[in-house]
PDB file of all heavy atoms in Angstrom:
ATOM      1  N   GLY A  27     -33.895 -67.900  85.306  1.00  0.00           N
ATOM      2  CA  GLY A  27     -35.357 -68.121  85.516  1.00  0.00           C
ATOM      3  C   GLY A  27     -35.659 -69.479  86.090  1.00  0.00           C
ATOM      4  O   GLY A  27     -36.791 -70.007  85.974  1.00  0.00           O
ATOM      5  N   THR A  29     -36.066 -70.336  89.125  1.00  0.00           N
ATOM      6  CA  THR A  29     -36.950 -70.394  90.314  1.00  0.00           C
ATOM      7  C   THR A  29     -38.412 -70.444  89.919  1.00  0.00           C
ATOM      8  O   THR A  29     -39.269 -70.639  90.747  1.00  0.00           O
ATOM      9  CB  THR A  29     -36.705 -69.192  91.229  1.00  0.00           C
ATOM     10  OG1 THR A  29     -36.950 -67.976  90.467  1.00  0.00           O
ATOM     11  CG2 THR A  29     -35.315 -69.158  91.785  1.00  0.00           C
ATOM     12  N   GLY A  30     -38.717 -70.289  88.621  1.00  0.00           N
ATOM     13  CA  GLY A  30     -40.080 -70.337  88.168  1.00  0.00           C
ATOM     14  C   GLY A  30     -40.584 -71.798  88.032  1.00  0.00           C
ATOM     15  O   GLY A  30     -39.821 -72.727  88.205  1.00  0.00           O
ATOM     16  N   ARG A  31     -41.880 -71.883  87.705  1.00  0.00           N
ATOM     17  CA  ARG A  31     -42.538 -73.170  87.557  1.00  0.00           C
ATOM     18  C   ARG A  31     -41.804 -74.073  86.590  1.00  0.00           C
ATOM     19  O   ARG A  31     -41.420 -75.218  86.866  1.00  0.00           O
ATOM     20  CB  ARG A  31     -43.944 -72.868  87.022  1.00  0.00           C
ATOM     21  CG  ARG A  31     -45.095 -73.458  87.779  1.00  0.00           C
ATOM     22  CD  ARG A  31     -46.385 -72.807  87.273  1.00  0.00           C
ATOM     23  NE  ARG A  31     -46.416 -72.499  85.835  1.00  0.00           N
ATOM     24  CZ  ARG A  31     -47.182 -73.123  84.935  1.00  0.00           C
ATOM     25  NH1 ARG A  31     -47.998 -74.091  85.310  1.00  0.00           N
ATOM     26  NH2 ARG A  31     -47.165 -72.746  83.706  1.00  0.00           N
ATOM     27  N   MET A  32     -41.667 -73.586  85.363  1.00  0.00           N
ATOM     28  CA  MET A  32     -41.030 -74.397  84.288  1.00  0.00           C
ATOM     29  C   MET A  32     -39.542 -74.592  84.544  1.00  0.00           C
ATOM     30  O   MET A  32     -39.010 -75.664  84.414  1.00  0.00           O
ATOM     31  CB  MET A  32     -41.234 -73.746  82.902  1.00  0.00           C
ATOM     32  CG  MET A  32     -42.626 -73.559  82.490  1.00  0.00           C
ATOM     33  SD  MET A  32     -43.578 -75.087  82.600  1.00  0.00           S
ATOM     34  CE  MET A  32     -42.832 -76.035  81.279  1.00  0.00           C
ATOM     35  N   ARG A  68     -33.036 -63.497  90.706  1.00  0.00           N
ATOM     36  CA  ARG A  68     -32.970 -62.277  91.486  1.00  0.00           C
ATOM     37  C   ARG A  68     -32.860 -62.536  93.008  1.00  0.00           C
ATOM     38  O   ARG A  68     -32.439 -61.714  93.772  1.00  0.00           O
ATOM     39  CB  ARG A  68     -34.168 -61.408  91.227  1.00  0.00           C
ATOM     40  CG  ARG A  68     -34.270 -60.876  89.823  1.00  0.00           C
ATOM     41  CD  ARG A  68     -35.604 -60.289  89.539  1.00  0.00           C
ATOM     42  NE  ARG A  68     -36.701 -61.302  89.693  1.00  0.00           N
ATOM     43  CZ  ARG A  68     -37.985 -61.037  89.586  1.00  0.00           C
ATOM     44  NH1 ARG A  68     -38.382 -59.807  89.362  1.00  0.00           N
ATOM     45  NH2 ARG A  68     -38.852 -61.984  89.737  1.00  0.00           N
ATOM     46  N   ALA A 104     -35.778 -69.409  81.104  1.00  0.00           N
ATOM     47  CA  ALA A 104     -37.185 -69.799  81.280  1.00  0.00           C
ATOM     48  C   ALA A 104     -37.854 -68.794  82.223  1.00  0.00           C
ATOM     49  O   ALA A 104     -38.785 -69.124  82.937  1.00  0.00           O
ATOM     50  CB  ALA A 104     -37.242 -71.202  81.932  1.00  0.00           C
ATOM     51  N   ALA A 105     -37.359 -67.542  82.179  1.00  0.00           N
ATOM     52  CA  ALA A 105     -37.981 -66.501  83.008  1.00  0.00           C
ATOM     53  C   ALA A 105     -39.135 -65.899  82.222  1.00  0.00           C
ATOM     54  O   ALA A 105     -39.816 -66.572  81.444  1.00  0.00           O
ATOM     55  CB  ALA A 105     -36.949 -65.475  83.456  1.00  0.00           C
ATOM     56  N   THR A 106     -39.372 -64.602  82.381  1.00  0.00           N
ATOM     57  CA  THR A 106     -40.611 -64.052  81.770  1.00  0.00           C
ATOM     58  C   THR A 106     -40.436 -63.899  80.276  1.00  0.00           C
ATOM     59  O   THR A 106     -39.383 -63.539  79.757  1.00  0.00           O
ATOM     60  CB  THR A 106     -40.996 -62.702  82.392  1.00  0.00           C
ATOM     61  OG1 THR A 106     -40.376 -61.689  81.616  1.00  0.00           O
ATOM     62  CG2 THR A 106     -40.552 -62.560  83.807  1.00  0.00           C
ATOM     63  N   THR A 107     -41.578 -64.114  79.584  1.00  0.00           N
ATOM     64  CA  THR A 107     -41.617 -63.990  78.136  1.00  0.00           C
ATOM     65  C   THR A 107     -41.147 -62.611  77.690  1.00  0.00           C
ATOM     66  O   THR A 107     -40.404 -62.453  76.717  1.00  0.00           O
ATOM     67  CB  THR A 107     -43.043 -64.256  77.621  1.00  0.00           C
ATOM     68  OG1 THR A 107     -43.433 -65.556  78.091  1.00  0.00           O
ATOM     69  CG2 THR A 107     -43.170 -64.164  76.142  1.00  0.00           C
ATOM     70  N   LEU A 109     -39.126 -60.363  78.822  1.00  0.00           N
ATOM     71  CA  LEU A 109     -37.686 -59.995  78.877  1.00  0.00           C
ATOM     72  C   LEU A 109     -36.841 -60.874  77.949  1.00  0.00           C
ATOM     73  O   LEU A 109     -35.665 -60.606  77.729  1.00  0.00           O
ATOM     74  CB  LEU A 109     -37.161 -60.150  80.302  1.00  0.00           C
ATOM     75  CG  LEU A 109     -37.785 -59.209  81.331  1.00  0.00           C
ATOM     76  CD1 LEU A 109     -37.172 -59.468  82.692  1.00  0.00           C
ATOM     77  CD2 LEU A 109     -37.607 -57.739  80.937  1.00  0.00           C
ATOM     78  N   ARG A 110     -37.459 -61.934  77.397  1.00  0.00           N
ATOM     79  CA  ARG A 110     -36.668 -62.988  76.734  1.00  0.00           C
ATOM     80  C   ARG A 110     -35.858 -62.441  75.554  1.00  0.00           C
ATOM     81  O   ARG A 110     -34.664 -62.715  75.425  1.00  0.00           O
ATOM     82  CB  ARG A 110     -37.558 -64.180  76.287  1.00  0.00           C
ATOM     83  CG  ARG A 110     -36.766 -65.295  75.676  1.00  0.00           C
ATOM     84  CD  ARG A 110     -37.506 -66.600  75.800  1.00  0.00           C
ATOM     85  NE  ARG A 110     -37.771 -66.918  77.194  1.00  0.00           N
ATOM     86  CZ  ARG A 110     -38.964 -67.244  77.635  1.00  0.00           C
ATOM     87  NH1 ARG A 110     -40.015 -67.382  76.834  1.00  0.00           N
ATOM     88  NH2 ARG A 110     -39.132 -67.482  78.944  1.00  0.00           N
ATOM     89  N   GLU A 127     -36.983 -71.191  76.458  1.00  0.00           N
ATOM     90  CA  GLU A 127     -38.389 -71.556  76.477  1.00  0.00           C
ATOM     91  C   GLU A 127     -39.123 -70.818  75.339  1.00  0.00           C
ATOM     92  O   GLU A 127     -38.595 -69.823  74.785  1.00  0.00           O
ATOM     93  CB  GLU A 127     -39.018 -71.155  77.830  1.00  0.00           C
ATOM     94  CG  GLU A 127     -39.210 -72.304  78.803  1.00  0.00           C
ATOM     95  CD  GLU A 127     -40.228 -73.368  78.331  1.00  0.00           C
ATOM     96  OE1 GLU A 127     -40.911 -73.118  77.276  1.00  0.00           O
ATOM     97  OE2 GLU A 127     -40.359 -74.418  78.911  1.00  0.00           O
ATOM     98  N   LYS A 128     -40.318 -71.218  75.055  1.00  0.00           N
ATOM     99  CA  LYS A 128     -41.164 -70.492  74.125  1.00  0.00           C
ATOM    100  C   LYS A 128     -42.050 -69.579  74.970  1.00  0.00           C
ATOM    101  O   LYS A 128     -42.232 -69.886  76.151  1.00  0.00           O
ATOM    102  CB  LYS A 128     -42.021 -71.383  73.226  1.00  0.00           C
ATOM    103  CG  LYS A 128     -42.758 -72.547  73.929  1.00  0.00           C
ATOM    104  CD  LYS A 128     -43.683 -72.285  75.022  1.00  0.00           C
ATOM    105  CE  LYS A 128     -44.927 -71.474  74.744  1.00  0.00           C
ATOM    106  NZ  LYS A 128     -45.782 -71.292  75.949  1.00  0.00           N
ATOM    107  N   PRO A 129     -42.665 -68.541  74.468  1.00  0.00           N
ATOM    108  CA  PRO A 129     -42.382 -67.918  73.174  1.00  0.00           C
ATOM    109  C   PRO A 129     -41.020 -67.214  73.237  1.00  0.00           C
ATOM    110  O   PRO A 129     -40.591 -66.786  74.307  1.00  0.00           O
ATOM    111  CB  PRO A 129     -43.460 -66.837  73.060  1.00  0.00           C
ATOM    112  CG  PRO A 129     -44.393 -67.006  74.248  1.00  0.00           C
ATOM    113  CD  PRO A 129     -43.690 -67.829  75.246  1.00  0.00           C
ATOM    114  N   VAL A 154     -37.474 -74.639  73.131  1.00  0.00           N
ATOM    115  CA  VAL A 154     -38.268 -75.722  73.715  1.00  0.00           C
ATOM    116  C   VAL A 154     -39.555 -75.926  72.889  1.00  0.00           C
ATOM    117  O   VAL A 154     -40.308 -75.029  72.676  1.00  0.00           O
ATOM    118  CB  VAL A 154     -38.616 -75.410  75.188  1.00  0.00           C
ATOM    119  CG1 VAL A 154     -39.521 -76.446  75.787  1.00  0.00           C
ATOM    120  CG2 VAL A 154     -37.337 -75.218  75.983  1.00  0.00           C
ATOM    121  N   ASP A 156     -41.692 -78.832  73.545  1.00  0.00           N
ATOM    122  CA  ASP A 156     -41.860 -80.016  74.349  1.00  0.00           C
ATOM    123  C   ASP A 156     -42.988 -80.961  73.932  1.00  0.00           C
ATOM    124  O   ASP A 156     -42.883 -82.176  74.100  1.00  0.00           O
ATOM    125  CB  ASP A 156     -42.065 -79.662  75.824  1.00  0.00           C
ATOM    126  CG  ASP A 156     -43.123 -78.617  75.998  1.00  0.00           C
ATOM    127  OD1 ASP A 156     -42.905 -77.445  75.611  1.00  0.00           O
ATOM    128  OD2 ASP A 156     -44.222 -78.995  76.471  1.00  0.00           O
ATOM    129  N   LYS A 157     -44.054 -80.383  73.365  1.00  0.00           N
ATOM    130  CA  LYS A 157     -45.210 -81.245  73.074  1.00  0.00           C
ATOM    131  C   LYS A 157     -44.844 -82.313  72.038  1.00  0.00           C
ATOM    132  O   LYS A 157     -45.465 -83.402  72.044  1.00  0.00           O
ATOM    133  CB  LYS A 157     -46.410 -80.432  72.582  1.00  0.00           C
ATOM    134  CG  LYS A 157     -46.806 -79.245  73.448  1.00  0.00           C
ATOM    135  CD  LYS A 157     -47.372 -79.703  74.809  1.00  0.00           C
ATOM    136  CE  LYS A 157     -47.692 -78.484  75.659  1.00  0.00           C
ATOM    137  NZ  LYS A 157     -46.609 -78.100  76.591  1.00  0.00           N
ATOM    138  N   PRO A 200     -49.760 -69.106  87.492  1.00  0.00           N
ATOM    139  CA  PRO A 200     -49.405 -67.764  87.963  1.00  0.00           C
ATOM    140  C   PRO A 200     -50.287 -66.688  87.410  1.00  0.00           C
ATOM    141  O   PRO A 200     -50.801 -66.798  86.265  1.00  0.00           O
ATOM    142  CB  PRO A 200     -47.926 -67.590  87.475  1.00  0.00           C
ATOM    143  CG  PRO A 200     -47.638 -68.693  86.510  1.00  0.00           C
ATOM    144  CD  PRO A 200     -48.697 -69.741  86.613  1.00  0.00           C
ATOM    145  N   TRP A 202     -49.621 -63.806  86.238  1.00  0.00           N
ATOM    146  CA  TRP A 202     -49.201 -63.085  85.054  1.00  0.00           C
ATOM    147  C   TRP A 202     -49.805 -63.662  83.787  1.00  0.00           C
ATOM    148  O   TRP A 202     -49.942 -62.953  82.800  1.00  0.00           O
ATOM    149  CB  TRP A 202     -47.665 -62.991  84.947  1.00  0.00           C
ATOM    150  CG  TRP A 202     -46.919 -64.326  84.680  1.00  0.00           C
ATOM    151  CD1 TRP A 202     -46.251 -65.082  85.549  1.00  0.00           C
ATOM    152  CD2 TRP A 202     -46.740 -64.963  83.404  1.00  0.00           C
ATOM    153  NE1 TRP A 202     -45.706 -66.171  84.943  1.00  0.00           N
ATOM    154  CE2 TRP A 202     -45.954 -66.099  83.617  1.00  0.00           C
ATOM    155  CE3 TRP A 202     -47.144 -64.686  82.104  1.00  0.00           C
ATOM    156  CZ2 TRP A 202     -45.632 -67.004  82.608  1.00  0.00           C
ATOM    157  CZ3 TRP A 202     -46.794 -65.567  81.067  1.00  0.00           C
ATOM    158  CH2 TRP A 202     -46.045 -66.722  81.367  1.00  0.00           C
ATOM    159  N   HIS A 219     -47.240 -73.271  70.747  1.00  0.00           N
ATOM    160  CA  HIS A 219     -47.146 -74.750  70.731  1.00  0.00           C
ATOM    161  C   HIS A 219     -47.842 -75.307  69.543  1.00  0.00           C
ATOM    162  O   HIS A 219     -47.351 -76.202  68.864  1.00  0.00           O
ATOM    163  CB  HIS A 219     -47.852 -75.292  71.992  1.00  0.00           C
ATOM    164  CG  HIS A 219     -47.116 -75.076  73.264  1.00  0.00           C
ATOM    165  ND1 HIS A 219     -45.922 -75.626  73.532  1.00  0.00           N
ATOM    166  CD2 HIS A 219     -47.435 -74.354  74.360  1.00  0.00           C
ATOM    167  CE1 HIS A 219     -45.523 -75.289  74.773  1.00  0.00           C
ATOM    168  NE2 HIS A 219     -46.429 -74.496  75.281  1.00  0.00           N
ATOM    169  N   PHE A 347     -39.039 -82.840  78.064  1.00  0.00           N
ATOM    170  CA  PHE A 347     -38.095 -81.683  78.191  1.00  0.00           C
ATOM    171  C   PHE A 347     -36.660 -82.233  78.257  1.00  0.00           C
ATOM    172  O   PHE A 347     -35.754 -81.648  77.619  1.00  0.00           O
ATOM    173  CB  PHE A 347     -38.423 -80.881  79.437  1.00  0.00           C
ATOM    174  CG  PHE A 347     -39.710 -80.091  79.356  1.00  0.00           C
ATOM    175  CD1 PHE A 347     -40.915 -80.661  79.686  1.00  0.00           C
ATOM    176  CD2 PHE A 347     -39.686 -78.747  78.945  1.00  0.00           C
ATOM    177  CE1 PHE A 347     -42.078 -79.959  79.601  1.00  0.00           C
ATOM    178  CE2 PHE A 347     -40.855 -78.051  78.836  1.00  0.00           C
ATOM    179  CZ  PHE A 347     -42.060 -78.638  79.177  1.00  0.00           C
TER     180      PHE A 347
HETATM  181  N1  LIG B  58     -43.057 -75.196  77.358  1.00  0.00           N
HETATM  182  C1  LIG B  58     -44.128 -75.113  78.057  1.00  0.00           C
HETATM  183  O1  LIG B  58     -44.982 -75.992  78.063  1.00  0.00           O
HETATM  184  C2  LIG B  58     -44.363 -73.926  78.946  1.00  0.00           C
HETATM  185  C3  LIG B  58     -45.344 -73.978  79.957  1.00  0.00           C
HETATM  186  C4  LIG B  58     -45.512 -72.896  80.757  1.00  0.00           C
HETATM  187  C5  LIG B  58     -44.733 -71.740  80.577  1.00  0.00           C
HETATM  188  N2  LIG B  58     -43.794 -71.726  79.619  1.00  0.00           N
HETATM  189  C6  LIG B  58     -42.950 -70.517  79.417  1.00  0.00           C
HETATM  190  O2  LIG B  58     -41.968 -70.494  80.434  1.00  0.00           O
HETATM  191  C7  LIG B  58     -41.736 -69.159  80.910  1.00  0.00           C
HETATM  192  C8  LIG B  58     -41.961 -69.114  82.430  1.00  0.00           C
HETATM  193  O3  LIG B  58     -43.273 -69.530  82.720  1.00  0.00           O
HETATM  194  P1  LIG B  58     -43.680 -70.063  84.167  1.00  0.00           P
HETATM  195  O4  LIG B  58     -45.033 -70.600  83.998  1.00  0.00           O
HETATM  196  O5  LIG B  58     -42.589 -70.924  84.662  1.00  0.00           O
HETATM  197  O6  LIG B  58     -43.715 -68.733  85.001  1.00  0.00           O
HETATM  198  P2  LIG B  58     -43.313 -68.420  86.505  1.00  0.00           P
HETATM  199  O7  LIG B  58     -43.999 -67.161  86.863  1.00  0.00           O
HETATM  200  O8  LIG B  58     -43.504 -69.646  87.366  1.00  0.00           O
HETATM  201  O9  LIG B  58     -41.734 -68.176  86.415  1.00  0.00           O
HETATM  202  C9  LIG B  58     -41.220 -67.006  85.906  1.00  0.00           C
HETATM  203  C10 LIG B  58     -39.742 -66.853  86.400  1.00  0.00           C
HETATM  204  O10 LIG B  58     -39.243 -65.600  85.904  1.00  0.00           O
HETATM  205  C11 LIG B  58     -38.687 -64.847  86.994  1.00  0.00           C
HETATM  206  N3  LIG B  58     -38.895 -63.444  86.746  1.00  0.00           N
HETATM  207  C12 LIG B  58     -40.045 -62.727  86.748  1.00  0.00           C
HETATM  208  N4  LIG B  58     -39.798 -61.434  86.519  1.00  0.00           N
HETATM  209  C13 LIG B  58     -38.453 -61.294  86.345  1.00  0.00           C
HETATM  210  C14 LIG B  58     -37.624 -60.173  86.172  1.00  0.00           C
HETATM  211  N5  LIG B  58     -38.102 -58.961  86.010  1.00  0.00           N
HETATM  212  N6  LIG B  58     -36.290 -60.420  86.063  1.00  0.00           N
HETATM  213  C15 LIG B  58     -35.791 -61.689  86.199  1.00  0.00           C
HETATM  214  N7  LIG B  58     -36.546 -62.759  86.414  1.00  0.00           N
HETATM  215  C16 LIG B  58     -37.864 -62.575  86.539  1.00  0.00           C
HETATM  216  C17 LIG B  58     -39.448 -65.330  88.188  1.00  0.00           C
HETATM  217  O11 LIG B  58     -38.739 -65.050  89.375  1.00  0.00           O
HETATM  218  C18 LIG B  58     -39.585 -66.820  87.895  1.00  0.00           C
HETATM  219  O12 LIG B  58     -38.386 -67.449  88.238  1.00  0.00           O
HETATM  220  C19 LIG B  58     -42.693 -68.283  80.089  1.00  0.00           C
HETATM  221  O13 LIG B  58     -42.016 -67.721  79.000  1.00  0.00           O
HETATM  222  C20 LIG B  58     -43.748 -69.253  79.574  1.00  0.00           C
HETATM  223  O14 LIG B  58     -44.334 -68.852  78.370  1.00  0.00           O
HETATM  224  C21 LIG B  58     -43.579 -72.762  78.806  1.00  0.00           C
END
Side-chain angles (χ1 to χ4, degrees):
T29 57
R31 234 166 36 112
M32 299 307 291
R68 294 168 299 175
T106 91
T107 302
L109 297 179
R110 184 156 302 129
E127 259 294 354
K128 48 55 65 179
V154 174
D156 51 288
K157 307 293 177 267
W202 68 259
H219 288 294
F347 289 86

